Amino acid sequence: MSEDLHMRSRLRLAVAVVAATAVLTGCSATPDDDVLADLGLDGLTGQEIVERLDTSTDSRPLDFTASVREDEVLVGDGSREVAVPLEEGQFYVSIAPYVDTTHECYLHSLATCQGELIEEPVDVWITAADGEVLVDESTTTYANGFVGFWLPEGIEGTIEISQGDLGGTVPFTTTEGSPTCVTTLQLA
């Protein structure tokens, strides 16, 4: 075989290998899909991921990362991280009422945040500044000590929580850059 013919055969083989690799890669899962699949979250919307993790009864901290931002939830396994978008027009606010102990928090960590009142009954009222009642319900704090609510974007108002004779109120906003974690509501 001539050197020229041998080189053309090798070149065709290399092109075929690259083409086959591209086809196979195009049909395989992305690293983002792998992160979510490895954590049992593949196929879920951003809202479903937030709700599943915030209401999980697993002890904190979890062995992965997950935090709620104003427009996405970030989920990672320590080496890879994926951003899953949240539904436009909705803003998640997770609240950890407390009596004695709290922690600083701005962006709610679904994997590490732990509030004081675990699986405790509370009454919650969330009211917009214009007086519209957004939430009026009796509920139970999750195993992580929080309760979470999907609120409209672009508003401000007050959160009031009571438990028996104890109660507290704090302001909130759901505008760009607002916190998704409220740990300042003391029941007194």
Side-chain angles (χ1 to χ4, degrees):
M1 187 186 293
S2 75
E3 187 66 33
D4 188 42
L5 184 58
H6 182 65
M7 288 299 282
R8 281 187 283 184
S9 294
R10 290 179 73 186
L11 180 60
R12 275 185 271 200
L13 177 61
V15 168
V17 167
V18 168
T21 301
V23 168
L24 290 175
T25 301
C27 294
S28 66
T30 66
D32 293 349
D33 293 336
D34 292 344
V35 170
L36 296 176
D38 291 349
L39 298 173
L41 303 171
D42 59 323
L44 299 180
T45 67
Q47 277 78 355
E48 291 168 333
I49 291 171
V50 169
E51 290 168 8
R52 177 175 293 179
L53 296 179
D54 216 15
T55 61
S56 168
T57 58
D58 295 338
S59 295
R60 302 308 194 267
L62 303 175
D63 60 356
F64 56 90
T65 61
S67 66
V68 183
R69 309 301 170 100
E70 62 192 68
D71 59 355
E72 64 189 8
V73 57
L74 296 178
V75 180
D77 64 3
S79 61
R80 303 166 294 169
E81 187 172 67
V82 59
V84 180
L86 297 174
E87 186 177 316
E88 202 169 308
Q90 301 261 316
F91 195 101
Y92 191 71
V93 178
S94 197
I95 310 149
Y98 74 98
V99 174
D100 297 313
T101 306
T102 190
H103 64 281
E104 286 190 33
C105 186
Y106 196 83
L107 298 173
H108 182 49
S109 171
L110 299 161
T112 62
C113 278
Q114 180 62 60
E116 175 187 35
L117 302 177
I118 299 167
E119 298 176 343
E120 292 282 335
V122 292
D123 295 312
V124 180
W125 299 272
I126 301 178
T127 308
D130 67 3
E132 179 184 0
V133 176
L134 304 170
V135 175
D136 178 359
E137 68 179 68
S138 296
T139 189
T140 301
T141 58
Y142 312 138
N144 65 0
F146 282 79
V147 289
F149 300 94
W150 293 101
L151 303 174
E153 283 182 335
I155 63 168
E156 57 185 56
T158 57
I159 300 167
E160 182 179 350
I161 296 182
S162 67
Q163 183 182 52
D165 294 337
L166 303 177
T169 303
V170 294
F172 78 93
T173 61
T174 63
T175 57
E176 186 175 336
S178 292
T180 59
C181 189
V182 175
T183 57
T184 56
L185 197 151
Q186 184 173 21
L187 301 179

